[in-house]
Amino acid sequence: MFSPEMEKIDRKVLREMQLERLKHIVRYCYENVPMYKNRFDAIGLKPEHIKTLKDIELIPYTTKDDLRDNYPFGLFAVPMKKIIRLHASSGTTGKPIVGGYTRADLDNWSTCIARILSMAGATDEDIFQVSFGYGLFTGGFGLHYGVEKLGATVVPMSSGNTERQLMLMRDFGATALIATPSYAMYLAETAKREGILKDLKIRLVCMGAEASTAETHESLQKLFGAFPTENYGLTEVGGPGVAGECREKAGMHINEDMFYPEIVDMEHNKVLGEGEQGEMVITTLVKEGMPVLRYRTKDITSLTFEPCKCGRTTARMSRVVGRTDDMLIIRGVNVFPSQIESVLMGMDELGKTYEIIVDRVNYMDTLEVHVEVDDASLLTDYFKLEELVAKIKHKLRVVLQIDVKVKLVEPFSIKRSEGKVKRVTDLRKK
Ligand code: DLL
């Protein structure tokens, strides 16, 4: 355990620490960030009104639009000379989300990452290949400094150039891989195709930055013969390092001394209890550069406060089922891409890459899934092919309650992603 005094903390002591930190950060935001002052003043809220942790519910949410409206540095709480690093999320539309870090922020960030890597089972003897993009994306540098803080060896590979990634992975004897689940899968299936899986020493795969399913973890475990874990974070609250899985794989432990999580039912503006599923809202408890209060992540998950078998007492968040803005509504039925992934990844006959196409034909929504087969020879056997399509359709129907059109395609025919994958094309939006 990297910070045992914190990770095994008595929850009552933790609550007291969180309350002190919350009071401090609320006052800090009020005094240093005009947006927060204006918002508080508009509803007559003063920092001294925060007396218990529950009083956090008095504070308005912060949203992505707030960050965009204050682009680039409007939410920074310190003068620029105290900011020693900037990151930004690429975002699909408009201006990026920018984050600024003081020296203390960077130090806390790498502590969070070192904890997460250590709980995944890493030690200072591991050699980490970091295959997240280095640059403005928080994944590359964020994980990089965490590996160093742990005392392990870091290979700052960045993403892309898959053949070279695999050559160096083999030659340097990397024992741990850090990547998005989709890129980890791409690396694994390319290594399998090139016949070099057996030469690799990867024993740990640490994934994050996009959703994955239990079935994806199992497939990676089979391919690499390595232990898969995932971690969670977002640029708005600093990047990766919010939470990570331990060896029990029973949810991701939240670094609760630094992040205060809430699960909210946004439709009824109600903070939900343990085990209930809703939108994750995060307050940074110690950030100096760009603190955020009650940030609406749009990620759907739930929390448990039960102590974990690993000995940690920190809250755990369940795997993210999807984002509120990722959810597809097909003929009135709510569909998360992760539900489709669970079905496809659980079938050995299929490859690991798929795409989802949504359209509207004659006023009716249609959902089509293209998925690669594992063995190309199957595509020449009409009867087997029909049988497999029927099987997939049936499984999808059981999970989604709607009919899905399925098309099987050749191995490696769907474009791979080296960073965050985009699997859904929604033609209705055109
Ligand atoms: O993806 C930060 C990160 C980098 C996390 C590396 C973990 C590892 P953004 O680019 O701002 O930051 O994207 C944040 O990605 O709101 C989630 O929707 C999604 N996401 C991140 N981790 C997970 C995960 C980074 N483990 C957005 N499971 C978040 C599901 C995830 N979704």
Side-chain angles (χ1 to χ4, degrees):
M1 233 179 255
F2 190 76
S3 315
E5 70 300 338
M6 166 49 214
E7 293 172 75
K8 293 202 285 188
I9 195 169
D10 179 278
R11 286 207 64 83
K12 195 163 164 282
V13 178
L14 174 68
R15 301 304 266 178
E16 284 160 14
M17 177 204 279
Q18 286 180 316
L19 178 59
E20 281 322 301
R21 291 185 173 183
L22 178 67
K23 285 181 181 169
H24 168 78
I25 205 77
V26 167
R27 180 166 298 281
Y28 180 76
C29 285
Y30 185 79
E31 289 173 355
N32 296 289
V33 184
M35 182 190 82
Y36 285 114
K37 181 171 187 331
N38 296 339
R39 268 213 181 148
F40 276 44
D41 289 348
I43 54 167
L45 184 65
K46 297 271 173 247
E48 52 273 24
H49 293 156
I50 307 297
K51 297 195 179 84
T52 67
L53 282 173
K54 192 159 170 48
D55 292 335
I56 196 171
E57 294 176 27
L58 301 171
I59 303 172
Y61 300 112
T62 305
T63 64
K64 205 184 256 305
D65 282 342
D66 294 327
L67 273 77
R68 292 225 167 93
D69 292 346
N70 288 282
Y71 174 85
F73 306 147
L75 296 184
F76 287 8
V78 294
M80 209 53 199
K81 69 173 186 161
K82 290 220 160 164
I83 298 284
I84 61 168
R85 175 105 63 85
L86 294 173
H87 278 285
S89 77
S90 47
T92 43
T93 49
K95 301 273 193 206
I97 298 300
V98 181
Y101 304 73
T102 65
R103 194 170 298 283
D105 290 337
L106 291 182
D107 192 44
N108 284 332
W109 190 13
S110 38
T111 299
C112 286
I113 301 286
R115 284 181 192 163
I116 282 168
L117 298 176
S118 162
M119 72 176 83
T123 72
D124 56 5
E125 293 190 28
D126 277 299
I127 301 175
F128 274 89
Q129 182 147 328
V130 179
S131 302
F132 280 139
Y134 277 65
L136 287 172
F137 176 51
T138 52
F141 283 104
L143 269 295
H144 178 104
Y145 286 105
V147 174
E148 284 193 359
K149 191 153 205 174
L150 184 67
T153 308
V154 61
V155 183
M157 192 71 211
S158 200
S159 61
N161 210 337
T162 303
E163 311 276 309
R164 194 172 145 81
Q165 294 259 0
L166 291 170
M167 179 185 85
L168 294 185
M169 198 182 280
R170 181 190 58 201
D171 295 352
F172 292 180
T175 57
L177 169 66
I178 291 179
T180 56
S182 51
Y183 195 48
M185 191 65 88
Y186 181 21
L187 284 163
E189 58 182 3
T190 309
K192 182 179 167 195
R193 192 177 56 174
E194 311 264 308
I196 60 161
L197 264 178
K198 60 180 187 328
D199 304 326
L200 302 179
K201 294 205 178 69
I202 298 291
R203 65 174 196 92
L204 191 62
V205 185
C206 301
M207 294 171 283
E210 66 187 17
S212 57
T213 56
E215 289 76 10
T216 304
H217 285 223
E218 265 166 43
S219 299
L220 275 166
Q221 183 149 21
K222 269 194 219 153
L223 279 164
F224 272 127
F227 193 80
T229 64
E230 70 167 317
N231 57 82
Y232 170 84
L234 52 154
T235 311
E236 295 86 332
V237 302
V242 173
E245 272 183 328
C246 69
R247 303 291 283 192
E248 298 295 328
K249 287 182 77 70
M252 293 182 268
H253 287 274
I254 298 176
N255 281 310
E256 273 186 290
D257 52 338
M258 315 232 194
F259 301 98
Y260 185 81
E262 297 170 88
I263 300 293
V264 181
D265 168 357
M266 286 299 167
E267 211 182 314
H268 302 99
N269 191 18
K270 182 170 173 270
V271 176
L272 299 173
E274 180 162 6
E276 293 183 285
Q277 201 173 69
E279 180 174 335
M280 172 74 115
V281 168
I282 300 178
T283 297
T284 61
L285 292 175
V286 293
K287 275 201 89 197
E288 293 179 341
M290 197 182 87
V292 284
L293 304 179
R294 303 196 86 201
Y295 183 72
R296 281 190 60 173
T297 65
K298 298 203 170 175
D299 293 319
I300 300 164
T301 178
S302 60
L303 295 177
T304 172
F305 300 98
E306 283 292 304
C308 181
K309 285 198 193 118
C310 71
R312 290 178 182 81
T313 51
T314 42
R316 282 167 285 150
M317 60 183 276
S318 64
R319 187 163 283 150
V320 173
V321 288
R323 293 176 54 80
T324 51
D325 48 5
D326 266 1
M327 191 180 75
L328 299 164
I329 304 184
I330 311 287
R331 284 170 250 140
V333 178
N334 297 350
V335 173
F336 281 108
S338 62
Q339 295 175 294
I340 297 175
E341 174 162 324
S342 286
V343 169
L344 303 178
M345 293 295 136
M347 295 180 68
D348 288 339
E349 306 94 314
L350 300 179
K352 305 301 167 209
T353 306
Y354 66 96
E355 55 191 3
I356 299 169
I357 295 135
V358 183
D359 203 353
R360 185 165 288 148
V361 181
N362 296 333
Y363 307 103
M364 279 275 281
D365 296 329
T366 57
L367 178 62
E368 186 167 334
V369 171
H370 297 177
V371 57
E372 291 178 2
V373 289
D374 186 51
D375 176 1
S377 69
L378 194 112
L379 294 171
T380 56
D381 186 329
Y382 179 77
F383 288 104
K384 272 198 185 154
L385 199 66
E386 285 294 290
E387 206 180 321
L388 182 54
V389 167
K391 187 169 156 192
I392 302 168
K393 279 183 160 181
H394 173 71
K395 282 179 180 272
L396 287 171
R397 191 173 165 80
V398 170
V399 173
L400 307 176
Q401 308 294 321
I402 52 169
D403 285 322
V404 180
K405 198 167 163 200
V406 173
K407 185 171 164 198
L408 296 176
V409 297
E410 270 186 50
F412 284 92
S413 60
I414 296 175
K415 192 170 177 293
R416 272 17 183 205
S417 139
E418 292 168 349
K420 293 199 194 219
V421 69
K422 180 179 175 299
R423 300 209 195 263
V424 181
T425 308
D426 194 340
L427 298 167
R428 295 174 303 182
K429 290 181 181 156
K430 286 205 166 157

